[in-house]
């Protein structure tokens, strides 16, 4: 993964100021699925970058906005697993967009902020407004698919821990929902 960062000059040019930032580096200590928020954010940004490069041939897209939005989509200030019952999945997009604007005001614009704020669609009802936001959202879902291998952990992941008390019921409901798809 790290080779992809440094070997791709265009990607690195967009990402370097964020990657070098000490507050962003702190995400290495925040657990996210099987790795850290830092690693997850880089994976999402690399996938989003590749998607944007492909789609830019057909529709107008800011590849830089995609990379920045993807890197900062989970830019919350404390590990979310420390906040029991916080409804993390519903709230962290807004929190991350506020933090991104605070720490990287020269890197964010309306497109980036919307991409960060709305990346949890459809969990949050309002979808992204721009192509860039859709790319960040889809890249995040793609990278996060591993959470669906353990349905009983899904309530904790999206921040509705009270359902974790009933993992069997939740598993059965999730299984039924996905069998209809």
């Amino acid at each position: 993964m790290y080779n992809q960062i440094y070997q791709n000059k265009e990607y690195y040019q967009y990402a370097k100021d964020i990657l070098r930032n000490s507050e962003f580096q702190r995400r290495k200590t925040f657990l996210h699925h099987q790795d850290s928020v830092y690693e997850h954010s880089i994976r999402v940004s690399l996938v989003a970058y590749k998607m944007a490069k492909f789609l830019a041939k057909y529709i107008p897209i800011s590849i830089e906005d995609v990379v920045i939005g993807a890197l900062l989509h989970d830019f919350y200030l404390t590990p979310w697993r420390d906040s029991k019952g916080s409804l993390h999945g519903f709230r962290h997009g807004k929190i991350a967009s506020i933090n991104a604007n605070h720490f990287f005001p020269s890197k964010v614009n309306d497109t980036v902020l919307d991409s960060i704020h709305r990346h949890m669609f459809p969990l949050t009802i309002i979808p992204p407004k721009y192509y860039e936001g859709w790319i960040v959202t889809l890249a995040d879902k793609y990278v996060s698919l591993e959470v669906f291998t353990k349905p009983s952990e899904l309530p904790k992941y999206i921040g509705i821990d009270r359902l974790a008390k009933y993992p069997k019921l939740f598993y059965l409901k999730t299984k039924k929902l996905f069998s209809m798809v």
Side-chain angles (χ1 to χ4, degrees), residues 10-167:
E10 180 185 36
Y11 173 86
Y12 185 68
Q13 191 63 34
Y14 298 144
K16 68 181 176 184
D17 292 339
I18 295 169
L19 295 173
R20 293 176 181 170
N21 180 277
S22 61
E23 187 61 38
F24 186 78
Q25 290 276 325
R26 206 165 67 86
R27 293 332 164 265
K28 290 178 180 177
T29 65
F30 295 12
L31 184 62
H32 190 286
H33 305 302
Q34 306 302 330
D35 53 15
S36 68
V37 170
Y38 178 85
E39 291 170 344
H40 168 77
S41 297
I42 291 173
R43 278 193 185 94
V44 171
S45 72
L46 288 167
V47 168
Y49 172 77
K50 291 174 186 174
M51 291 169 68
K53 285 293 284 184
F54 174 79
L55 291 171
K57 299 173 196 169
Y58 307 102
I59 55 178
I61 292 176
S62 169
I63 296 169
E64 181 176 13
D65 287 352
V66 169
V67 170
I68 293 168
L71 280 172
L72 298 174
H73 79 280
D74 282 345
F75 195 61
Y76 35 87
L77 297 180
T78 57
W80 66 269
R81 292 175 185 254
D82 293 349
S83 306
K84 295 194 188 288
S86 67
L87 297 175
H88 171 78
F90 297 93
R91 298 178 48 205
H92 80 272
K94 180 178 181 180
I95 293 166
S97 67
I98 292 167
N99 294 335
N101 196 39
H102 176 75
F103 284 92
F104 301 100
S106 66
K107 293 281 183 192
V108 300
N109 56 36
D110 288 344
T111 303
V112 171
L113 292 174
D114 183 77
S115 300
I116 297 167
H117 189 177
R118 298 183 178 182
H119 80 274
M120 286 301 290
F121 179 79
L123 187 59
T124 54
I125 297 169
I126 302 172
K129 185 175 179 181
Y130 306 100
Y131 291 128
E132 292 83 354
W134 281 104
I135 293 169
V136 171
T137 299
L138 293 172
D140 183 45
K141 302 301 177 268
Y142 174 77
V143 170
S144 299
L145 281 175
E146 70 198 47
V147 76
F148 291 108
T149 62
K150 296 180 182 174
S152 64
E153 301 227 352
L154 192 56
K156 187 190 306 183
Y157 170 66
I158 61 173
I160 51 174
D161 293 350
R162 60 186 161 76
L163 285 180
K165 295 177 184 174
Y166 311 102

